[in-house]
Amino acid sequence: MANSQYEYVKSFEVADEVMPPNVIVVRVEGRDFRRFSDVHEFEKPNDKRALDLMNSCAVAVLEQYPDIVFSYGYGDEYSFIFKKKTKFYQRRARKILSLITSFFTSVYNSKWEEFFPQEELRYTPSFRARVMSCATLEVLQTYLAWRQNECHVSNLYITCLWMMIKHKKTYEQAEEILKDTQRSERNEFLFQQFNVNYKKLPQIFRLGSCSFMTQSEDTVKYTTNGSPVKRMRRRPAVFQCESISKQRFWKEHQSLAVELGPFENEIGKLNMDFIRSFSFEDKLMPFSWIVVRIDGCHFHRFSEVHEFEKPNDERALNLMNSCAVAVLEEFGDIVFAYGVSDEYSFVLKKTSTLFQRQASQIVSVIVSVFTSAYVAKWKCFFPHKQLKYQPSFDGRAVCYPSSQILRDYLAWRQVDCHINNQYNTCFWMLVKEGKSKSEAQRILKGTQTKEKNELLMHKFNIDYYSIQEIFRRGSSVFRLKEGQLKTVENSIDYLKIISDVVDGRYYLEIFGPLLHLSEQVNVTAIFGPDLAKPGESL
Ligand code: GTP
Ligand code: MG
C-alpha cells in the first residue's frame, strides 16, 4: 500500500533549528515539584539527597551526550550548555530538549532508590524543558549569572521561610513577614532571630552545583606484581563554585573556553533585555489540532539488548499502550492517541491552552510523563527482565489546521504501521526459515502488499489478516463512557461507536462528543481501529 497520498502531512512540520553561532542551552525543570517534594517528604528548606539525585542525573546526561560541555543546577532545575559548534540532531530545538528531558527523567526514576532507599516512589515525577539560545558569550554569561543569582535569592527566601515555620509560624504568616524584604534584611533577620549565619550554610544550597568534564587519574588494572596501572580519564565531576559567570572561573577551566570561547569581560548588572529574551517562547498556532509524536531513541538497539520478540513483542507494545494511558490520565486536553512500534502520537484538542500552547513545554512534559511511566511500569510487563539501561524518547509537536488533515496524519501513521509490519513479518519468517538477513532483504525488495501476502500464505501457511490486530493496525487510546467499555472489544464495535456518533463519516468528528464523554474519565487501550477509512480494512 502506498503511503504517498498521506505523506503531504509531513510538510506541516516547522523547522526549529537553533542557528549558529547561538549557543544552545536546555533548561530542565521539575513539574509541580512542590507537590512531589511534599508527597515524598523532602527535608525543608533543602534536601541534600534530592540535590544529589539531581546532580547524579546531570552527570549521567553529560556522560550520555558528549556535546554538552557544562551544566548548572539548583533546586529542581538543571541547565545544560552545548558546545558552540554542536551538530547534535541538526540543532533542532524540540528534538534536543525532549531527548534530554526524557533521559533525565529516565535516570531520575532509575536512581531514586539509590538516593532515597527508605522512601518509595509514590508517583512518577516528570520534568519540562525549554531551549534558550545565547547569541553571544556575554548573553551566556548573563544567563549563568541570572540562574546562580536566582539560586541565591530563592535559597535565602526559603531558608527564612522554613526557619519561621519550624518556630511555629504558619506558611502564610511567614510569607507575610518576608513580603517586600530585601536580601540584606533577610540575612540580618536569620542572624538576629535564629542565630544563623547564612554564609555558613552548605555551599550546595547557596551556590547550586555545576558539573563538567574533568581529567582524573584512574587505576585501570594491576600488574602481576600488584602495582597499579594508572591512566588519565575524562569524566564529569560535580562542583560548588562561587561564581560560574565570572572570567576567573572560565580561566581556571580551560576546557570550557576551548568549546565555548573565553569570557572576555566581566558582566556588571544583569541585563534585563537578555533576561527577557530567555523567557521568550514560540507558541503553537491557535485553533488547530496539536499532535505530539514521540519516538523511542535507538529502539533498534534497545529491543535487541532487551531481547524483544521479533518482529513484534506484545509485552513491549502493551507497555507502550499503558504509558499512553498514563499520559491521557494526566492531560485532559489529549483526546486521542495512536501508537505503533516505538512511537505514539497524542492529539490535543483544538482549543487546548495547555502551557499557553508553548511547544517546548508541551512536548517535553508529554515525553517526560511517558518516559517516567515506561521506567516505572517496565517490571509489570517484563517481570523477568532487568532494565539494562535507561530508555529515552524524543518528541515533536505539529499543528494541523483541519480535521481532514489530522485524519490524513493518523492514516499516514497507520499505513506506515501496516507497511512495516507486513515487511517485518515476511522478513523474520524468512530468517527463521534459515535465510540470511541479506537474502531475505533481496527476496522482499520491490514486492507489493499482494505478493507479500501470497508469500506468507504459500510458503508459511500464514493468512496475514489473521495476525493480531495490535500488530497489524497499531493501538488507540481514548476515553469512553462506562457503558461503552463492554461493547468495545474489537474493531467492528469500535467503528460502530464511531458511526453511531458521527453518522459514519470521518471518525475524527467524534472529538466533540468524546470530549463530552470524557467527563467520566475512563481510559482504555483499544486495538485495531482502521484510521485510514472507517468501515474498510487496510
Ligand atoms: P531512532 O528512532 O532514529 O532513534 O531509531 P530507532 O532505532 O528507534 O528506529 P525506529 O524508531 O525507526 O524504529 C523502531 C525500532 O524499534 C524498530 O526498527 C525495531 O528495531 C524496534 N522495535 C520496536 N518495537 C519492537 C518489537 O515489538 N519487537 C522488536 N523485536 N523490535 C521492536
Ligand atoms: Mg525510534
Side-chain angles (χ1 to χ4, degrees):
M1 176 180 302
N3 208 353
S4 51
Q5 78 182 97
Y6 301 121
E7 278 191 9
Y8 78 94
V9 297
K10 281 202 270 188
S11 62
F12 286 82
E13 293 189 20
V14 279
D16 61 350
E17 180 184 338
V18 180
M19 295 294 175
N22 285 283
V23 171
I24 300 173
V25 179
V26 176
R27 185 163 85 228
V28 178
E29 280 169 89
R31 173 171 163 254
D32 198 5
F33 255 49
R34 184 151 165 191
R35 174 170 164 244
F36 184 79
S37 62
D38 280 347
V39 170
H40 295 92
E41 293 168 2
F42 282 10
E43 282 162 27
K44 306 284 189 329
N46 288 295
D47 192 317
K48 171 96 171 31
R49 299 165 301 172
L51 295 176
D52 287 341
L53 172 55
M54 290 291 287
N55 287 340
S56 170
C57 295
V59 164
V61 169
L62 262 85
E63 279 167 344
Q64 179 82 356
Y65 305 106
D67 277 17
I68 298 174
V69 289
F70 185 76
S71 68
Y72 171 74
Y74 73 94
D76 67 345
E77 73 162 63
Y78 236 103
S79 298
F80 297 97
I81 297 162
F82 281 75
K83 68 179 181 193
K84 203 167 181 173
K85 294 199 173 144
T86 184
K87 296 242 169 27
F88 188 57
Y89 279 105
Q90 297 89 48
R91 304 175 67 94
R92 286 156 65 191
R94 284 170 211 154
K95 192 112 180 165
I96 293 174
L97 75 91
S98 56
L99 208 51
I100 304 288
T101 315
S102 175
F103 186 72
F104 194 95
T105 308
S106 214
V107 180
Y108 196 97
N109 273 280
S110 309
K111 292 197 172 209
W112 173 266
E113 226 182 306
E114 189 186 319
F115 291 86
F116 290 88
Q118 319 289 355
E119 194 76 52
E120 202 189 329
L121 202 47
R122 297 201 198 145
Y123 71 91
T124 50
S126 53
F127 296 83
R128 60 201 163 92
R130 40 174 315 185
V131 162
M132 256 74 50
S133 47
C134 296
T136 64
L137 283 185
E138 190 193 350
V139 181
L140 177 65
Q141 242 175 313
T142 307
Y143 178 79
L144 293 173
W146 175 47
R147 292 330 295 159
Q148 201 168 32
N149 186 53
E150 290 288 302
C151 166
H152 169 63
V153 171
S154 92
N155 186 56
L156 184 57
Y157 182 85
I158 57 174
T159 307
C160 294
L161 191 82
W162 284 99
M163 281 311 287
M164 283 191 271
I165 294 169
K166 279 174 191 165
H167 287 82
K168 307 278 180 272
K169 290 267 187 284
T170 65
Y171 196 95
E172 290 70 27
Q173 284 169 334
E175 271 190 322
E176 190 56 36
I177 293 170
L178 289 174
K179 215 167 117 194
D180 301 328
T181 52
Q182 301 297 314
R183 270 189 226 179
S184 56
E185 291 171 90
R186 289 176 188 168
N187 262 323
E188 197 56 31
F189 177 77
L190 276 178
F191 194 68
Q192 298 293 344
Q193 297 280 321
F194 307 110
N195 203 18
V196 170
N197 182 347
Y198 183 75
K199 283 226 159 100
K200 295 249 164 76
L201 295 182
Q203 287 194 329
I204 188 169
F205 302 158
R206 287 187 296 112
L207 306 174
S209 303
C210 52
S211 50
F212 50 93
M213 286 291 175
T214 51
Q215 295 270 6
S216 62
E217 205 174 44
D218 241 12
T219 305
V220 285
K221 60 177 179 188
Y222 290 89
T223 59
T224 40
N225 63 9
S227 46
V229 177
K230 301 205 167 184
R231 295 261 154 75
M232 291 305 280
R233 273 192 50 184
R234 268 169 67 76
R235 59 154 61 109
V238 177
F239 304 90
Q240 278 77 42
C241 299
E242 195 65 54
S243 185
I244 53 169
S245 58
K246 290 262 190 279
Q247 240 186 351
R248 185 160 51 85
F249 174 76
W250 287 75
K251 273 199 180 130
E252 277 167 18
H253 302 285
Q254 278 301 315
S255 62
L256 299 176
V258 169
E259 298 293 2
L260 288 160
F263 285 167
E264 301 287 358
N265 302 307
E266 288 297 1
I267 50 162
K269 271 181 91 168
L270 291 178
N271 184 330
M272 291 321 282
D273 281 343
F274 293 168
I275 289 173
R276 253 169 14 99
S277 78
F278 300 141
S279 10
F280 172 81
E281 181 150 17
D282 277 348
K283 289 191 181 179
L284 292 162
M285 195 170 33
F287 298 104
S288 57
W289 301 105
I290 300 171
V291 175
V292 174
R293 182 165 84 248
I294 69 164
D295 188 291
C297 179
H298 304 320
F299 257 49
H300 186 71
R301 174 166 169 250
F302 186 81
S303 62
E304 295 278 349
V305 170
H306 294 90
E307 297 164 327
F308 283 8
E309 280 162 27
K310 290 171 176 33
N312 292 295
D313 192 315
E314 204 169 345
R315 298 161 302 175
L317 295 177
N318 282 330
L319 170 56
M320 292 287 290
N321 290 339
S322 173
C323 297
V325 169
V327 171
L328 256 82
E329 279 172 337
E330 192 79 25
F331 304 105
D333 279 7
I334 300 178
V335 289
F336 189 84
Y338 175 72
V340 37
S341 181
D342 68 339
E343 72 167 58
Y344 239 102
S345 298
F346 296 95
V347 181
L348 280 83
K349 63 181 182 183
K350 276 182 159 180
T351 50
S352 176
T353 51
L354 186 66
F355 294 114
Q356 294 83 49
R357 297 180 78 90
Q358 291 170 6
S360 40
Q361 309 265 340
I362 295 174
V363 173
S364 57
V365 159
I366 290 179
V367 160
S368 183
V369 170
F370 193 94
T371 311
S372 243
Y374 199 95
V375 176
K377 289 168 184 268
W378 173 267
K379 55 183 174 303
C380 306
F381 291 86
F382 291 95
H384 306 299
K385 254 188 218 316
Q386 280 278 341
L387 201 48
K388 299 209 175 121
Y389 65 90
Q390 283 92 12
S392 55
F393 297 82
D394 67 45
R396 69 189 80 198
V398 187
C399 285
Y400 294 107
S402 73
S403 298
Q404 169 71 49
I405 303 171
L406 176 57
R407 188 179 73 88
D408 284 350
Y409 167 82
L410 292 166
W412 172 52
R413 295 323 304 142
Q414 195 171 41
V415 173
D416 215 46
C417 164
H418 167 73
I419 293 170
N420 289 333
N421 184 60
Q422 205 193 28
Y423 181 93
N424 291 338
T425 308
C426 294
F427 179 85
W428 287 107
M429 284 312 294
L430 289 166
V431 172
K432 277 175 195 164
E433 185 208 42
K435 298 265 184 298
S436 71
K437 286 186 182 170
S438 53
E439 250 177 303
Q441 264 168 356
R442 196 180 43 73
I443 292 169
L444 293 172
K445 198 170 171 203
T447 54
Q448 300 296 308
T449 295
K450 195 160 159 271
E451 292 156 278
K452 289 197 198 80
N453 280 344
E454 280 169 8
L455 180 131
L456 284 174
M457 183 52 99
H458 295 142
K459 227 171 155 41
F460 305 108
N461 202 21
I462 292 174
D463 171 8
Y464 181 72
Y465 293 102
S466 70
I467 292 173
Q468 285 146 283
E469 290 196 314
I470 183 174
F471 299 158
R472 285 190 293 117
R473 293 176 160 185
S475 305
S476 305
V477 181
F478 55 90
R479 298 175 185 83
L480 288 169
K481 257 208 292 198
E482 217 162 304
Q484 286 180 319
L485 276 175
K486 278 196 275 334
T487 60
V488 183
E489 277 162 10
N490 55 44
S491 62
I492 310 219
D493 291 337
Y494 172 88
L495 290 170
K496 188 168 171 305
I497 287 180
I498 291 166
S499 45
D500 278 354
V501 181
V502 282
D503 207 18
R505 293 301 303 156
Y506 300 130
Y507 87 91
L508 283 174
E509 304 296 330
I510 63 172
F511 280 177
L514 252 190
L515 230 47
H516 172 68
L517 299 181
S518 76
E519 252 76 275
Q520 306 127 67
V521 178
N522 246 316
V523 189
T524 185
I526 295 155
F527 311 128
D530 180 346
L531 298 173
K533 285 191 185 115
E536 280 177 31
S537 75
L538 273 169

